[in-house]
Amino acid sequence: MIEVKISDKTLDTQACIDKVLSPSCGGIDVFIGTVRNATKGKQVVRLEFEAYERMALKEMQKLGEQAKKKWPIENVLIHHRVGVLGIGDIPVVIAVAAAHRDAAFDACRYIIDTLKETVPIWKKEIFEDGEVWVAAHP
Amino acid sequence: MQVKVLAFGIAKEIFGSSSISIDIESNDTDGLKNALEVKYPKLKELSSYMVAVNDEYANDKTPITQQDEIAIIPPVSGG
């Protein structure tokens, strides 16, 4: 199973884990992204996430398919938040269930690393004295 | 030909809108980029940007029509 979702509501990590749980799997690897309070020593007030939703879902689905081709994994879930997030909030949850842990770890890492490069989602960091779209400028 | 272009992230701020219309001379992604960079020179200050045609990343010189959904994809930063 591959499940992808973009939501403006709080991500429920336990529900994500429950969805990939399978009797034929020996483990679930979960990556939970959390909003950090600083960037390069500068205090972050909040983050704002925006997605080109239709394309982002398509790219997330591709990531799940690629991961399933590369590793013997059974279930993949990728959920991403949009909207305004505060420190400690969860922008992304990736859960991968596999018969054996190596595949789950490798696939999960591949998915988060590639998501950051290909999925059309953007974050703006809001500081006390300004704001910046992350990665926009050299 | 005039095409409608969707914008996200910083591209939306550069265009001043989430959707613009622009006249292009050659009907492909290169023609679109040229026209956009003339009208919105700040695009050239970005680390990079891509054009998406119908929800897929498009290469240079990908043909476009008025029926396509075209979007400007500045550097992504999800996760």
Side-chain angles (χ1 to χ4, degrees):
Chain A
M1 154 284 243
I2 299 172
E3 182 183 294
V4 298
K5 187 168 109 177
I6 291 176
S7 171
D8 58 1
K9 310 254 171 12
T10 303
L11 299 183
D12 181 343
T13 50
Q14 187 58 51
C16 293
I17 292 166
D18 292 345
K19 280 196 173 160
V20 297
L21 183 69
S22 158
S24 53
C25 289
I28 298 169
D29 194 68
V30 184
F31 176 80
I32 303 171
T34 54
V35 175
R36 193 173 48 227
N37 65 1
T39 291
K40 291 172 190 151
K42 228 176 147 188
Q43 196 87 23
V44 171
V45 179
R46 64 175 190 275
L47 296 184
E48 293 177 9
F49 285 84
E50 179 183 321
Y52 179 11
E53 192 165 322
R54 216 162 56 142
M55 182 174 171
L57 288 169
K58 222 164 145 180
E59 291 292 323
M60 287 155 73
Q61 180 73 27
K62 281 186 205 169
L63 289 182
E65 287 165 8
Q66 287 161 9
K68 286 191 83 162
K69 266 190 204 142
K70 282 173 179 273
W71 292 280
I73 56 175
E74 192 169 309
N75 294 324
V76 179
L77 174 146
I78 311 171
H79 286 189
H80 206 295
R81 263 296 288 280
V82 288
V84 177
L85 277 78
I87 308 308
D89 285 350
I90 296 173
V92 63
V93 176
I94 295 165
V96 180
H100 303 287
R101 68 182 181 282
D102 280 354
F105 275 115
D106 290 349
C108 192
R109 167 135 210 168
Y110 169 80
I111 291 169
I112 182 61
D113 288 352
T114 316
L115 177 146
K116 283 172 171 282
E117 288 171 4
T118 64
V119 177
I121 296 176
W122 299 269
K123 72 173 150 249
K124 188 198 256 182
E125 288 175 328
I126 318 292
F127 304 104
E128 296 282 359
D129 60 348
E131 53 186 49
V132 62
W133 285 103
V134 175
H137 292 105
Chain B
M1 168 173 94
Q2 192 175 60
V3 292
K4 195 179 140 194
V5 180
L6 304 177
F8 298 92
I10 196 165
K12 193 166 74 180
E13 290 179 5
I14 292 172
F15 295 168
S17 173
S18 59
S19 169
I20 57 156
S21 289
I22 190 160
D23 285 310
I24 58 175
E25 282 176 20
S26 65
N27 297 342
D28 59 23
T29 46
D30 277 7
L32 173 67
K33 280 180 148 186
N34 289 338
L36 286 171
E37 287 175 12
V38 169
K39 197 166 174 190
Y40 305 98
K42 281 194 168 171
L43 272 181
K44 290 187 280 187
E45 295 170 16
L46 299 178
S47 308
S48 64
Y49 70 95
M50 302 281 286
V51 177
V53 180
N54 301 325
D55 305 332
E56 295 284 347
Y57 286 108
N59 299 319
D60 294 344
K61 299 206 186 296
T62 298
I64 51 182
T65 72
Q66 285 178 314
Q67 282 70 49
D68 291 325
E69 180 168 297
I70 300 162
I72 297 303
I73 312 288
V76 301
S77 51

